[in-house]
Amino acid sequence: MTPQDLHDDAIVIDGLIIAKWNRELFEDMRRGGLTAANCTVSVWEGFQATVDNIVKSNQLMAECSDLVRPVRTTADITRAKEEGKTGIIYGFQNAHAFEDQIGYVEVFKQLGVGIVQMCYNTQNLVGTGCYERDGGLSGFGREIVAEMNRVGIMCDLSHVGSKTSEEVILESKKPVCYSHCLPSGLKEHPRNKSDEELRFIAEHGGFVGVTMFTPFLRAGVDATVDDYVEAIEYVMNIVGEDAIGIGTDFTQGHGKDFFEWLTHDKGYARRLTSFGKIINPEGIRTIGEFPNLTEALLRRGFSETQTRKIMGENWVRILKDVWGS
């Protein structure tokens, strides 16, 4: 089986895409052979603005139903593969949209949200992000984790502070994830996770999606798809071949204004960080180049079985554990 044949046959899941929603993006997902993706519909938005985002996203998906389909269960991921479409999982990068209402968790589950990050870089009512002094998981946050467990929404800890992450991992009765992160063992950065953090989440049944965001990669803006695979291998050597997957953090189609919004607290307040030049690794600049990642994994020496797990099978298993179907 050639690398392209394997890619075409495999379940391919991207655990985090925050690209600009339009038909062109969906067409590129199909070029890349993407079976499903966790697509961000909320970062700094509150309840109403997030509902509005979901309404717009539903409308766009209806208009592009020849390319994409909604995902509520892992069976929907299988159906997307069979239909030659890309399944869209709605996800949040911040629990801010829950506001102070536990009941909103189930409302968003009913609207199709399957993965929610507890905090985005800074503190909210649940806990603390990775760019602030970490006060840990709040009492309200414990209730939110319990409700997410109950309704079947996965807890994501990618931008979450170390102490808050540890306490969510211990509090949750279902597997949690870093949907998109890199190891600080290859590059020190507030967004990267230490070997100890990676080991801890895996030892407690959790999951790690490896990102390719070049400011966090060792080679920075000079990174290639092979540098990305180096990071995948590094993480897999810590967490094992069953607890790892892909979470690219594709920001395809967005301009400078979008990154200014992302990098300020609440989207407008103090500056939290500056990424500098934003360019994806050579060889996987766009979602349409996803087959190059499968080829690079095989070239690095990963087996066909390991490659299938990394590219998507592990995501399906862990999501089924959390969603229940």
Side-chain angles (χ1 to χ4, degrees):
M1 186 175 283
T2 68
Q4 185 64 57
D5 288 340
L6 176 58
H7 186 84
D8 292 342
D9 187 63
I11 297 287
V12 180
I13 296 180
D14 193 331
L16 197 287
I17 292 180
I18 187 172
K20 189 170 184 178
W21 287 79
N22 52 39
R23 184 174 178 86
E24 289 71 29
L25 177 73
F26 293 155
E27 288 172 343
D28 210 36
M29 286 178 171
R30 296 311 312 137
R31 275 190 289 273
L34 210 58
T35 310
N38 168 25
C39 298
T40 299
V41 293
S42 184
V43 182
W44 297 120
E45 296 93 338
F47 176 83
Q48 185 61 60
T50 298
V51 171
D52 292 344
N53 287 346
I54 291 173
V55 169
K56 292 175 186 175
S57 299
N58 285 347
Q59 291 171 341
L60 180 62
M61 277 206 291
E63 293 165 4
C64 301
S65 60
D66 57 319
L67 300 171
V68 295
R69 62 164 295 132
V71 168
R72 302 292 185 94
T73 67
T74 54
D76 291 331
I77 296 174
T78 303
R79 290 188 192 101
K81 183 69 178 178
E82 293 169 348
E83 294 167 356
K85 298 178 182 180
T86 298
I88 303 298
I89 305 162
Y90 286 159
F92 296 175
Q93 290 214 49
N94 200 339
H96 184 62
F98 294 152
E99 298 183 356
D100 61 356
Q101 299 297 315
I102 295 171
Y104 288 176
V105 176
E106 185 169 20
V107 168
F108 279 119
K109 174 65 175 181
Q110 292 169 347
L111 292 176
V113 176
I115 302 172
V116 168
Q117 186 167 235
M118 311 313 289
C119 315
Y120 186 76
N121 293 337
T122 62
Q123 189 167 353
N124 61 20
L125 295 177
V126 167
T128 311
C130 61
Y131 285 109
E132 288 193 322
R133 184 179 62 184
D134 194 344
L137 185 65
S138 69
F140 176 72
R142 294 177 193 280
E143 293 182 274
I144 289 291
V145 170
E147 183 67 356
M148 288 173 66
N149 284 176
R150 186 186 74 81
V151 305
I153 295 178
M154 190 172 209
C155 298
D156 182 1
L157 304 169
S158 302
H159 290 249
V160 177
S162 180
K163 183 176 178 60
T164 299
S165 294
E166 178 184 349
E167 293 182 354
V168 172
I169 291 166
L170 294 174
E171 187 71 22
S172 181
K173 301 300 189 291
K174 292 188 176 181
V176 304
C177 73
Y178 297 127
S179 68
H180 59 299
C181 75
L182 280 165
S184 58
L186 290 179
K187 183 174 182 176
E188 195 64 42
H189 191 282
R191 264 283 282 115
N192 290 352
K193 308 299 181 183
S194 69
D195 291 3
E196 292 73 24
E197 288 172 309
L198 294 170
R199 192 172 295 111
F200 189 79
I201 195 171
E203 287 175 349
H204 290 81
F207 184 86
V208 180
V210 184
T211 187
M212 62 173 199
F213 194 59
T214 52
F216 310 152
L217 279 170
R218 178 158 67 175
V221 295
D222 297 320
T224 68
V225 66
D226 292 305
D227 293 303
Y228 181 29
V229 171
E230 176 193 34
I232 293 170
E233 183 177 52
Y234 184 99
V235 172
M236 191 181 82
N237 286 339
I238 295 172
V239 306
E241 66 181 56
D242 295 318
I244 188 169
I246 302 301
T248 62
D249 207 4
F250 263 115
T251 56
Q252 197 164 319
H254 284 303
K256 183 179 179 181
D257 288 350
F258 176 76
F259 291 103
E260 285 295 302
W261 178 71
L262 277 185
T263 55
H264 284 78
D265 186 27
K266 311 298 184 288
Y268 72 92
R270 71 188 187 281
R271 175 172 288 283
L272 302 169
T273 187
S274 182
F275 296 135
K277 184 179 181 182
I278 304 293
I279 184 170
N280 292 326
E282 183 182 353
I284 190 166
R285 301 271 199 235
T286 67
I287 297 173
E289 293 183 294
F290 238 99
N292 293 345
L293 178 55
T294 298
E295 182 179 4
L297 287 167
L298 295 167
R299 187 167 62 241
R300 184 85 177 190
F302 289 88
S303 69
E304 178 180 314
T305 298
Q306 289 172 326
T307 300
R308 287 179 182 272
K309 287 181 177 181
I310 293 166
M311 292 302 290
E313 287 181 0
N314 286 342
W315 263 123
V316 174
R317 190 194 71 256
I318 204 83
L319 288 171
K320 190 170 186 177
D321 286 348
V322 175
W323 293 349
S325 61

